Amino acid sequence: LRESIITQALITLIVVGVWAYLVATGQTPPQDLTQVMMIVIGFYFGSKVGFRQGEKSMQALVKKRSTDQEGE
């Protein structure tokens, strides 16, 4: 999982970095690169939100099971 997160971050940084370089140097980024950048950013941040929600769900499940066991 950790390698996946590192890979996602590197790909995101590379794509955004190339896009930002083109903009900073006064060049117009190709439309395809802009679309890829939006997809990569959406996927990167979307996976972060999904991971955090899954983490909260897991914490709630563990808490529920621990309270169920205490009640027995």
Side-chain angles (χ1 to χ4, degrees), residues 11-38:
I11 291 171
T12 303
L13 287 174
I14 290 169
V15 171
V16 172
V18 169
W19 188 86
Y21 172 78
L22 290 173
V23 170
T25 58
Q27 301 176 40
T28 303
Q31 186 67 29
D32 292 340
L33 180 61
T34 302
Q35 290 175 350
V36 168
M37 184 191 69
M38 295 299 183

Side-chain angles (χ1 to χ4, degrees), residues 1-71:
L1 180 65
R2 184 167 178 80
E3 292 84 15
S4 173
I5 293 170
I6 291 171
T7 303
Q8 289 175 3
L10 285 174
I11 291 171
T12 303
L13 287 174
I14 290 169
V15 171
V16 172
V18 169
W19 188 86
Y21 172 78
L22 290 173
V23 170
T25 58
Q27 301 176 40
T28 303
Q31 186 67 29
D32 292 340
L33 180 61
T34 302
Q35 290 175 350
V36 168
M37 184 191 69
M38 295 299 183
I39 291 169
V40 168
I41 289 174
F43 179 78
Y44 180 76
F45 287 109
S47 67
K48 299 298 176 202
V49 170
F51 179 75
R52 297 227 191 277
Q53 287 175 346
E55 196 175 69
K56 289 178 183 177
S57 298
M58 184 60 75
Q59 289 173 351
L61 180 62
V62 169
K63 185 176 180 179
K64 182 180 181 320
R65 285 191 178 178
S66 66
T67 56
D68 288 347
Q69 289 177 352
E70 289 174 4

